[in-house]
Amino acid sequence: MEITNNTAAGIYTNDYKSKNMSKQDYENTMKMKMPETENKESKILGMGFLHNENNTVHYGMCAMYAEDYSEDNPVIKVNVTKPSGTEEYRININEVNPRFATEIEMFALCSYADAKGIGTGGTFGSWQTLNYYRDNASHNGYFELTNGTDSFQSVKQDWMKMVQLMMKDYMEAGLFKQSLDGKGLLGIFERYVQTSL
């Protein structure tokens, strides 16, 4: 078992800041592109980054409520900023299954959960906590990192199983805070897991 970092804040400060523009810079850039109105659609719910094939360039992601969002139709718009421009993806939260989901679907779900107050409550959001779990799980052979601008929207994996395996590893390593972070993630996932695929 290998644990690559022992705090969620550590992965944020050591890896996230060194390889990417800062969260504040990215947020300011996205806000400049947004309309001045303070409506629901312009509110940034979450931000994150995607890895490319050789793990050197990262593409920014920004989650917002879609124009047709409603409580019954919780559609989240995810803008992915690449060197070639910005691409928009629409994710219906009711269709996300954490047992068989893509990276972009999980980013939308974590951003939505944080906006609704049912996220992990971490300083950097549920997506960053999930990223920390995912990075360690890939080192331990439990999970495949999706490196590439196509795989983040096409490779579906069992995120619940990955978190459960890492919780066990953290507990055995005496990293109780990290294990408890997993309970927060599973609390989100259990609201959306579907029994039939």
Side-chain angles (χ1 to χ4, degrees):
M1 174 185 62
E2 180 182 356
I3 306 296
T4 60
N5 197 331
N6 64 1
T7 66
I11 192 76
Y12 173 80
T13 55
N14 297 338
D15 187 47
Y16 183 91
K17 282 188 174 178
S18 68
K19 293 183 180 175
N20 308 295
M21 71 173 83
S22 73
K23 180 178 178 180
Q24 189 63 47
D25 288 346
Y26 181 66
E27 184 172 0
N28 290 339
T29 301
M30 291 308 297
K31 284 181 178 176
M32 284 190 288
K33 295 179 181 180
M34 303 300 294
E36 289 292 322
T37 58
E38 277 299 319
N39 57 27
K40 186 177 273 190
E41 291 83 27
S42 67
K43 180 181 179 191
I44 295 175
L45 305 180
M47 287 176 291
F49 290 88
L50 295 167
H51 302 286
N52 76 346
E53 293 82 6
N54 40 5
N55 239 1
T56 55
V57 179
H58 295 53
Y59 306 111
M61 293 188 296
C62 180
M64 295 163 278
Y65 291 112
E67 294 77 10
D68 58 342
Y69 169 88
S70 70
E71 294 296 321
D72 294 330
N73 184 45
V75 177
I76 301 300
K77 177 172 63 176
V78 177
N79 289 330
V80 178
T81 305
K82 303 177 184 180
S84 59
T86 301
E87 294 179 10
E88 182 179 298
Y89 301 88
R90 294 170 52 82
I91 309 296
N92 188 319
I93 298 301
N94 289 337
E95 296 172 3
V96 176
N97 183 354
R99 290 208 179 273
F100 190 67
T102 64
E103 187 172 8
I104 197 167
E105 288 174 328
M106 294 306 292
F107 170 68
L109 177 61
C110 287
S111 299
Y112 178 73
D114 289 343
K116 290 296 183 182
I118 57 171
T120 59
T123 305
F124 304 109
S126 300
W127 175 246
Q128 189 59 37
T129 303
L130 185 58
N131 263 330
Y132 171 63
Y133 261 73
R134 181 187 61 168
D135 288 346
N136 281 308
S138 72
H139 287 292
N140 292 354
Y142 302 149
F143 206 71
E144 175 188 345
L145 286 180
T146 54
N147 295 324
T149 55
D150 294 326
S151 60
F152 78 94
Q153 62 175 334
S154 61
V155 175
K156 293 190 178 253
Q157 300 188 76
D158 189 339
W159 297 77
M160 286 189 78
K161 181 179 178 183
M162 177 271 289
V163 169
Q164 290 164 340
L165 289 169
M166 283 309 303
M167 283 177 68
K168 183 175 181 284
D169 283 359
Y170 289 139
M171 190 61 77
E172 289 173 0
L175 301 172
F176 306 118
K177 162 71 171 81
Q178 288 75 8
S179 186
L180 283 175
D181 286 343
K183 285 185 76 169
L185 290 169
L186 292 178
I188 299 168
F189 300 168
E190 286 164 0
R191 294 171 178 259
Y192 296 96
V193 71
Q194 300 162 22
T195 53
S196 61
L197 299 177

